[in-house]
Amino acid sequence: MTETATLQQALIRFLDPAGLDRQRQRVCHHLLACRTEAMGGMILQCTDCDHTQPHYFGCRDRHCPQCQGRAMHQWAERQQATLLPVRYYHVVFTLPHCLNGWVQLHPEVIYRLLFQSAWQTLRAFGRNPKRLGGEMGMSAVLHTWGQTLSQHVHLHCLVPGGALGDDGRWRGVRGHYLFPVRALSRHFRGHLVSALRQAANAGELDRVTRPGDVDDQLNALMATEWVVYSKDCLEHTDTVVRYLARYTRRIAISNARILAVDDRQVTLRVKDYRDRDRPKRLVLAGEEFVRRFLLHVLPKGLMRVRHYGFLANRCRRRRLAQIRQALAVIDATADADTAADDSAPTYICPHCRQPTLRVIGTLSPGRSLHGRLDNHRTQRYRT
C-alpha cells in the first residue's frame, strides 16, 4: 500500500470504462485527470528560497473530492447575507429504499418529484392559517448515499423558522419544533405517491416495464410509514452557514475517509449510526467500491441544490428585504446574491512555509490518462 489512498488512485486501479453510460464516463475522465499533467497548469517559484514546483489545475467536477473545498467556502460567503435572525430547522425527507431501482432507471424524474413533494409539503403546512399562515422558505440539497456508499436518497433542508404573511408581517415558529413529523411524513408520502402515479400515467416511467409493477409498488408505499426528520438548529450564527455549506458541497466519498487502496480492495472509515456513531473500518473489493461510487453520479445538468419560497432566486432579494424590515433589521448586504470572490489565490511554499510562490510559467495539458489507466490494468492482470 505504497500509493496515496485517494478516490483517484482507486479509479486508476479498478475502473473499467466498458459498459458505462456517457455521463459516468465523462465524470470518471474528469476525476482521473484532476490535478495531473493531463489538465495542464502553472510553474510556481518561491521568491524567498527559489523553490520551483508545478501546480496542476483541478477538474472542478462536482463529484470530485479534490475540488469542493474552495467551492464550499465561496458558496458559504455568498449565502452569509441570506441568513435571518431567526431560529433555523434542519428537515430531512427520505425516499423509501424500495424506490432505488426506479431512481437508477429514471433519476431525473424521481429527483424532480422528490424536490417538489418536499417543498409542497412544507409550503402546505406553512400556508395553513392554523399554523403560520404565510409563505415559507427552504434551501434543499440532494444526497443519494449512506456511510457505506449504499444508495440512500434523501433531501437535507434548511428552513427558516417562520413565514411571511400576505400582510407583510413575519410569523415566527413558537417552540423547538417546526411541524409534527408524523403529519409531515404522511403528507409527503401522499404527495409523492400521487406525483409518481401521474408521471407513470404520462409515460415518464416507461423503463419500468414489468406488468403491474407501478401499481403494486405505489400501493405498497402507501401502506408503509415514511421517514421525515426535523430538528432545530442554532440561531443566527456562522455555524448555520457552515452547516448548510457542508451539506451543499459534500460528495459521496471524501479522500479523508479512504484509509487504504491496494491491488484488490479499498478500506474506508465509516460511522456506525446503529452503534452510537462509533467509527469503524469497511473493506470493499475494488470493483465493488467503484460500482457503489458510480451509483451516485448525478445526471448532467441536474441541480442538486434548490431554493424555494422567499429564498427562491427570482424573489430572494426583495422578500428578504421585506422580512428584515418586518423584523426591524437593517439590510447591509443588498448585493450579496451577485457578490463574487475576487481575491487572488495564494500559494504556500512547501520549503519555507511562506505565501511567496509566484507564477513564472504555464504548463500545457499533457497526454490523456487513458494510457496510464490501461498500463496499470495490464500490469495488474499480469501479476
Side-chain angles (χ1 to χ4, degrees), residues 90-368:
H90 178 207
V91 185
V92 182
F93 294 91
T94 301
L95 195 71
H97 289 180
C98 59
L99 287 174
N100 285 347
W102 289 14
V103 171
Q104 291 300 314
L105 294 174
H106 295 281
E108 298 92 340
V109 176
I110 304 300
Y111 293 150
R112 169 171 55 85
L113 297 181
L114 174 60
F115 274 105
Q116 291 177 358
S117 297
W119 166 238
Q120 290 301 328
T121 297
L122 284 178
R123 188 173 186 270
F125 276 68
R127 278 291 182 184
N128 189 335
K130 294 183 180 180
R131 298 187 186 275
L132 296 176
E135 183 74 2
M136 297 186 67
M138 179 183 83
S139 294
V141 54
L142 173 68
H143 274 198
T144 65
W145 58 86
Q147 278 283 301
T148 62
L149 292 183
S150 58
Q151 194 167 5
H152 178 57
V153 180
H154 54 290
L155 289 184
H156 286 278
C157 307
L158 197 64
V159 183
L164 181 63
D166 295 335
D167 56 1
R169 299 178 61 183
W170 175 256
R171 300 172 183 178
V173 174
R174 297 180 180 179
H176 296 285
Y177 74 96
L178 184 61
F179 302 122
V181 291
R182 178 67 64 85
L184 283 174
S185 172
R186 293 182 175 179
H187 192 285
F188 172 59
R189 177 186 64 185
H191 191 282
L192 184 51
V193 169
S194 177
L196 288 171
R197 197 178 298 277
Q198 293 178 16
N201 293 336
E204 297 183 30
L205 301 178
D206 57 287
R207 295 173 187 165
V208 182
T209 57
R210 192 169 59 183
D213 188 31
V214 172
D215 288 335
D216 292 344
Q217 186 74 276
L218 297 183
N219 291 337
L221 286 171
M222 286 300 297
T224 60
E225 293 291 339
W226 290 25
V227 178
V228 173
Y229 167 92
S230 178
K231 183 180 179 181
D232 63 318
C233 302
L234 298 175
E235 295 186 4
H236 182 58
T237 65
D238 293 341
T239 304
V240 176
V241 175
R242 294 196 299 270
Y243 181 83
L244 182 59
R246 186 172 68 248
Y247 277 107
T248 302
R249 296 295 175 178
R250 184 178 291 176
I251 63 171
I253 185 70
S254 65
N255 284 334
R257 288 183 53 208
I258 302 178
L259 300 178
V261 178
D262 63 23
D263 288 337
R264 291 180 175 82
Q265 59 193 23
V266 179
T267 304
L268 308 177
R269 181 174 60 246
V270 299
K271 185 184 296 183
D272 191 345
Y273 293 117
R274 297 182 180 180
D275 190 12
R276 301 181 181 180
D277 294 352
R278 291 179 178 175
K280 297 183 179 181
R281 291 192 172 200
L282 173 67
V283 179
L284 296 174
E287 292 78 7
E288 174 63 13
F289 169 80
V290 172
R291 186 194 71 81
R292 293 192 188 188
F293 172 76
L294 293 179
L295 286 175
H296 311 294
V297 172
L298 297 177
K300 183 179 179 179
L302 187 140
M303 301 297 295
R304 66 187 299 258
V305 182
R306 306 185 188 187
H307 306 279
Y308 296 89
F310 59 71
L311 293 177
N313 294 331
R314 65 180 180 274
C315 64
R316 178 190 303 157
R317 184 180 301 178
R318 175 171 54 85
R319 289 298 191 185
L320 288 180
Q322 291 178 342
I323 294 172
R324 288 192 174 100
Q325 184 177 9
L327 294 171
V329 176
I330 298 177
D331 187 356
T333 53
D335 297 327
D337 290 340
T338 57
D341 185 7
D342 296 327
S343 59
T346 58
Y347 303 101
I348 306 298
C349 177
H351 282 195
C352 61
R353 310 304 302 172
Q354 298 298 319
T356 50
L357 286 178
R358 297 294 182 265
V359 179
I360 62 172
T362 60
L363 296 170
S364 300
R367 65 185 179 91
S368 171

Side-chain angles (χ1 to χ4, degrees), residues 263-264 378-383:
D263 288 337
R264 291 180 175 82
T378 300
Q379 293 175 1
R380 178 179 166 220
Y381 287 122
R382 283 177 178 174
T383 59

